[in-house]
Amino acid sequence: MSPSTRIRGFPYIPAGILRAMSTGERIRARRRELSLTQKALAQMVGLTQPTIGKLESGEQAGTTNLDKIARVLQTTAAYLRGDIDDSAEDAFIPPTPAEIATEMGLVRVNEIDLDIGMGASFLDESHVTEVERWVPQEWVAALTSTAAPLLTFARPFGDSMYPTINDRDIILIDRSERRVNRQEAVWALSYSGMGMIKRVRVEPDGTHRLMADNPQVRDATAADGELFVIGRVVGVVRRM
């Protein structure tokens, strides 16, 4: 039986056929194996998508950027040229962000740009965007035992929670806590479509008293059904 070679994610290919693959065919095979589009590969290498297309189709025979293409495709120029049949031989495969984070003891917590006022602001969740933040796992564990995917950073504005939270401080919200079960804790809320950060006390009649830490700001009362709990504020990072 003739020797065969396997490209990760593809069936075994007889070695003779693999050696017969052109540079363009090898680029295409590696690109598809890594789930990259021609456009994505071109952007990462600094070329245009038509150039990548011409290389893969054989319309353009060679390129001075083969080493760059090989690095992005996690292989070597020797493999793409057909000098060797093992795509991993002498290749540098960079660690994934998750692997780097694990090595450094970090966890991912998304930050939302949702406007949450410490007075009140209109809450429009249709325009929320998220940014990945990597933070020390030990710091998160000191604040909450909740898993990182259920945590969110936000930057509320206003001064109604001063001096506990200042304007545009970074707060950590635990979204696993969606019911007010801690009297006078600080909560991220939606009240009549308005986002806010308040202390909350459940009154004997079932209403919720929304309290500011700033003595110059008056409290409000929310009837049952008017209040939506986003989560409990479990940490504050001071803005310098």
Side-chain angles (χ1 to χ4, degrees):
M1 180 179 295
S2 61
S4 59
T5 301
R6 180 180 176 85
I7 302 177
R8 286 180 298 168
F10 288 85
Y12 282 94
I13 302 174
I17 294 177
L18 182 62
R19 281 192 291 271
M21 290 174 65
S22 68
T23 295
E25 289 170 333
R26 289 185 179 224
I27 291 173
R28 182 189 296 117
R30 286 295 297 167
R31 175 178 62 76
R32 289 176 174 175
E33 182 182 351
L34 296 174
S35 300
L36 292 173
T37 63
Q38 287 185 350
K39 181 178 180 179
L41 175 57
Q43 289 176 337
M44 296 168 76
V45 176
L47 299 174
T48 64
Q49 181 177 352
T51 297
I52 297 296
K54 290 178 180 178
L55 284 171
E56 291 187 354
S57 67
E59 185 178 346
Q60 182 172 321
T63 174
T64 57
N65 293 286
L66 195 60
D67 284 319
K68 288 184 179 180
I69 294 173
R71 282 195 295 272
V72 171
L73 296 179
Q74 301 178 15
T75 185
T76 61
Y79 171 77
L80 296 180
R81 285 194 302 266
D83 299 339
I84 59 176
D85 290 336
D86 184 354
S87 63
E89 183 177 340
D90 297 327
F92 170 70
I93 301 177
T96 65
E99 290 171 338
I100 295 173
T102 299
E103 182 69 22
M104 297 181 67
L106 304 177
V107 293
R108 187 184 74 183
V109 177
N110 286 351
E111 178 182 336
I112 59 173
D113 70 350
L114 184 66
D115 282 337
I116 300 178
M118 285 181 283
S121 63
F122 181 67
L123 198 64
D124 185 0
E125 297 189 33
S126 65
H127 293 90
V128 175
T129 59
E130 296 184 330
V131 178
E132 292 182 356
R133 303 296 186 196
W134 295 91
V135 294
Q137 186 173 14
E138 289 185 358
W139 179 79
V140 173
L143 298 172
T144 177
S145 60
T146 299
L150 291 174
L151 302 174
T152 298
F153 284 121
R155 299 172 186 257
F157 61 88
D159 63 357
S160 76
M161 291 303 293
Y162 176 83
T164 306
I165 306 172
N166 296 327
D167 182 48
R168 290 301 181 183
D169 279 348
I170 300 173
I171 62 172
L172 181 62
I173 302 170
D174 184 344
R175 293 181 289 104
S176 72
E177 299 196 38
R178 307 298 289 268
R179 184 171 59 86
V180 177
N181 53 10
R182 302 191 187 199
Q183 291 283 50
E184 301 192 15
V186 181
W187 299 84
L189 311 164
S190 173
Y191 172 45
S192 298
M194 308 296 285
M196 60 183 65
I197 304 295
K198 296 291 183 185
R199 292 192 188 276
V200 181
R201 177 191 299 162
V202 181
E203 302 289 12
D205 62 0
T207 60
H208 294 77
R209 185 175 179 184
L210 311 182
M211 301 176 293
D213 284 3
N214 187 332
Q216 298 181 13
V217 179
R218 297 173 59 182
D219 295 346
T221 300
D224 187 32
E226 293 181 330
L227 199 66
F228 173 77
V229 178
I230 299 172
R232 184 170 66 89
V233 177
V234 295
V236 180
V237 180
R238 291 292 187 195
R239 185 171 62 88
M240 300 299 291

